[in-house]
Amino acid sequence: MSGFRLSDTALEPAALAQELASASAGACVTFEGRVRNHNEGKTVLRLGYQAYAPLALAEGERILAEAQARFAIERALCVHRTGELAIGDIAVWVGASAAHRDAAFAACRYVIDEIKRRVPIWKNEFYADGASGWLHPDGTPV
Amino acid sequence: MSGFRLSDTALEPAALAQELASASAGACVTFEGRVRNHNEGKTVLRLGYQAYAPLALAEGERILAEAQARFAIERALCVHRTGELAIGDIAVWVGASAAHRDAAFAACRYVIDEIKRRVPIWKNEFYADGASGWLHPDGTPV
Amino acid sequence: MQYRLLYFASLRDRTGCDTETVASAAADPRALYAEIAPRHGLNLSPERLRVAVNGEFAGWDRALRDGDEVVFLPPVSGG
Amino acid sequence: MQYRLLYFASLRDRTGCDTETVASAAADPRALYAEIAPRHGLNLSPERLRVAVNGEFAGWDRALRDGDEVVFLPPVSGG
C-alpha cells in the first residue's frame, strides 16, 4: 500500500501506527496536525481542504522516498485529509519508524515540513465573523 | 493525573494521545520506544525493566516541568513500562501537544532524551544465546 | 489547440469552476495564463503560482500540445 | 545507626536482595558504600554510581541520619 495517501474520512492514528511496527524498529515518531480553533488572531470554526490529487500523491511519494534516502528509517507514512474538518480533527498524520530515535525524529520532521511546502493541497478557513479564506501563505491575501 | 507515570501493563497509545488533545493544539508529536529484536549485534528475545519508583516519578515530573518551561507546549505526557516485555512491546511513550509543530517536536525530543539520561529505570536484556545482562550504559560490563 | 484547465482553492472561487476546456493559440503556460487571467479576474501574479502539465510540475515555458491538462497552482497550504 | 538499603538492576543481582537493613557507623553514603561493596562483591566504582537518600538524589558526603533509606543507583538505561 502506498506510503502517501489522501483521505476524505477521519484518520485512524492507531491503525496507521500499526503499519509502521516492525520487530527491528526501536523508535516510532508520529506527528498529528489538528484543526486549531484559532489562526493569526482569528477564531476558526472549521476548515476545508482541496487537493490536486494526482500530483499530490506523486509529490507525497517523492517526499517519502527522499526521507528513506536521507535517514536510516524503516518505514514512513503520511495521510492527509481532504474535505470538511471540524476543530480537533486530524488534518495530517505522519509517522516514521527506525532502529534509533535520531532517524525517526528527523524523518518525521522532514516529511511534514516538505508536505506543507510542496504538496498541492489548500486550506480554506471559516471564521467566526462569517468570513472565509483560502490560505496561500506568503502574507498577501488573494 | 500526573504527567509522568510507570505502568506494569501494556501501554495504550490511542488513549494517551487523547489526553493531549485540545482545541488550541495544532500539533501533536509522539515518540514510542519499542523492544527491538537486536542490540549491539546480539539477538534479543525479551527484556525486563526495573524502576526505583518514587525517585523515577519525581524525576520524570521534573523533566516534564522543564519541557513546559522551555518550549511553548500545551501538554506533555510520558509513560514508561516496568516488568517483562516482548519484542515489539512499547517500552516508553512520550507525547507533546502545542499550537505549532516546532515546540511539539522539540519538547518530545527533550523529554525522551532526558528520561533516558536521568530517570532511575534499568533495562535487562535476555539474549538468544541464553545470556542476559543489565545495561548500565558507558561501555563497561557489570 | 484545446487545453483542459483545472482550478483549485482561490482560483476555483474566482473562476467559479473546477475545470474548463479552452480553445487557445497560447504555446506555453505563460501565454495561456496571460490569456485567461483577465477573463476570470485572477489577481495572482505568475511569480506566486506554479504550473503543472498532465499531472507533473512544469516550467512556464513548457511547450504545450493539444489536449494537455494545465493547472495553475496557488501557494499551497496543506498540513 | 540503622539504614535501609534498596538495590536495583545489577546491584540487586549481586546482592541477591531487593532491600536490606544494615547497622553501620558510616556517616555518609561514601563510607556506607565502602562498607557494603566488599561484603556483597559490588564492583561498580562510586564514580559510576549516583546516590539517593529518602527518595531524592543526594551527594556522597550527605550526612546520614538513623533510619535513612539509601540507594546506590547504577547508570540508568530506561527508554
Side-chain angles (χ1 to χ4, degrees):
Chain A
M1 197 166 184
S2 170
F4 182 84
R5 303 166 208 164
L6 298 168
S7 171
D8 59 6
T9 58
L11 305 189
E12 303 285 354
L16 293 169
Q18 203 52 45
E19 293 188 46
L20 294 175
S22 104
S24 50
C28 177
V29 173
T30 70
F31 171 82
E32 286 177 15
R34 290 176 178 269
V35 180
R36 276 182 300 156
N37 60 5
H38 64 281
N39 190 27
E40 311 262 324
K42 287 192 268 197
T43 299
V44 175
L45 298 181
R46 61 192 170 85
L47 54 78
Y49 283 103
Q50 276 178 12
Y52 177 28
L55 185 51
L57 293 170
E59 191 70 359
E61 282 299 335
R62 269 192 289 270
I63 291 167
L64 293 175
E66 291 163 11
Q68 287 280 356
R70 284 169 183 242
F71 309 106
I73 57 172
E74 298 213 345
R75 300 180 197 171
L77 278 181
C78 177
V79 189
H80 202 295
R81 275 297 309 276
T82 56
E84 301 290 311
L85 281 75
I87 303 302
D89 284 356
I90 303 175
V92 57
W93 187 95
V94 179
S97 63
H100 300 287
R101 71 189 184 284
D102 268 342
F105 271 103
C108 187
R109 182 65 199 254
Y110 179 82
V111 170
I112 184 60
D113 285 356
E114 295 300 304
I115 296 290
K116 290 173 83 86
R117 200 170 69 78
R118 293 160 49 184
V119 173
I121 298 175
W122 298 271
K123 180 185 340 199
N124 195 6
E125 292 189 338
F126 296 86
Y127 304 111
D129 64 7
S132 76
W134 289 100
L135 304 187
H136 294 317
D138 77 348
T140 332
V142 288
Chain B
M1 198 167 183
S2 171
F4 182 84
R5 304 167 206 161
L6 297 168
S7 171
D8 59 5
T9 58
L11 306 189
E12 302 285 355
L16 293 169
Q18 202 53 44
E19 293 187 48
L20 294 175
S22 103
S24 51
C28 177
V29 173
T30 70
F31 171 83
E32 288 178 13
R34 290 176 178 268
V35 180
R36 275 182 300 156
N37 60 5
H38 64 281
N39 190 27
E40 312 262 323
K42 286 191 269 196
T43 300
V44 176
L45 300 182
R46 61 191 171 86
L47 54 77
Y49 282 103
Q50 277 178 13
Y52 177 28
L55 184 52
L57 294 170
E59 191 71 359
E61 284 297 336
R62 268 192 289 269
I63 290 167
L64 293 176
E66 291 163 11
Q68 288 280 356
R70 285 169 184 241
F71 309 106
I73 57 172
E74 297 213 346
R75 300 179 197 170
L77 278 180
C78 178
V79 190
H80 202 295
R81 275 295 311 275
T82 56
E84 301 291 310
L85 282 76
I87 304 302
D89 284 357
I90 303 174
V92 59
W93 187 95
V94 179
S97 63
H100 300 287
R101 68 189 185 285
D102 267 342
F105 271 103
C108 187
R109 182 64 199 254
Y110 178 81
V111 169
I112 184 60
D113 285 356
E114 294 300 303
I115 295 289
K116 289 173 83 88
R117 202 171 67 80
R118 292 160 49 185
V119 172
I121 298 176
W122 298 271
K123 181 187 334 201
N124 194 7
E125 292 189 337
F126 296 86
Y127 305 110
D129 63 7
S132 75
W134 291 99
L135 303 187
H136 295 317
D138 76 349
T140 333
V142 290
Chain C
M1 286 180 287
Q2 286 213 325
Y3 303 122
R4 185 92 186 144
L5 275 73
L6 309 186
Y7 297 110
F8 294 95
S10 62
L11 270 58
R12 181 177 295 183
D13 288 359
R14 288 279 176 144
T15 62
C17 61
D18 300 6
T19 176
E20 66 175 344
T21 302
V22 299
S24 166
D28 60 23
R30 190 182 317 277
L32 184 59
Y33 188 70
E35 193 176 294
I36 61 145
R39 175 160 62 85
H40 285 302
L42 304 182
N43 58 357
L44 278 165
S45 65
E47 295 74 45
R48 296 194 60 203
L49 298 169
R50 295 186 75 182
V51 177
V53 175
N54 300 331
E56 288 294 343
F57 292 115
W60 285 94
D61 52 0
R62 153 85 165 244
L64 293 178
R65 305 169 68 156
D66 190 49
D68 276 351
E69 176 183 288
V70 182
V71 189
F72 300 107
L73 304 157
V76 303
S77 53
Chain D
M1 287 182 285
Q2 285 213 325
Y3 303 123
R4 186 88 185 149
L5 275 74
L6 309 187
Y7 297 111
F8 293 95
S10 61
L11 271 57
R12 182 178 293 182
D13 287 358
R14 287 281 174 142
T15 62
C17 60
D18 300 8
T19 177
E20 66 175 343
T21 303
V22 299
S24 166
D28 60 23
R30 191 182 316 277
L32 184 58
Y33 188 71
E35 193 176 294
I36 61 142
R39 176 160 62 84
H40 285 301
L42 304 181
N43 58 358
L44 278 166
S45 66
E47 295 74 45
R48 296 194 58 204
L49 298 169
R50 296 186 74 183
V51 177
V53 175
N54 300 330
E56 289 294 342
F57 292 115
W60 284 93
D61 53 1
R62 153 84 164 247
L64 293 177
R65 303 169 70 157
D66 190 49
D68 277 352
E69 176 182 287
V70 182
V71 188
F72 300 107
L73 303 157
V76 302
S77 53

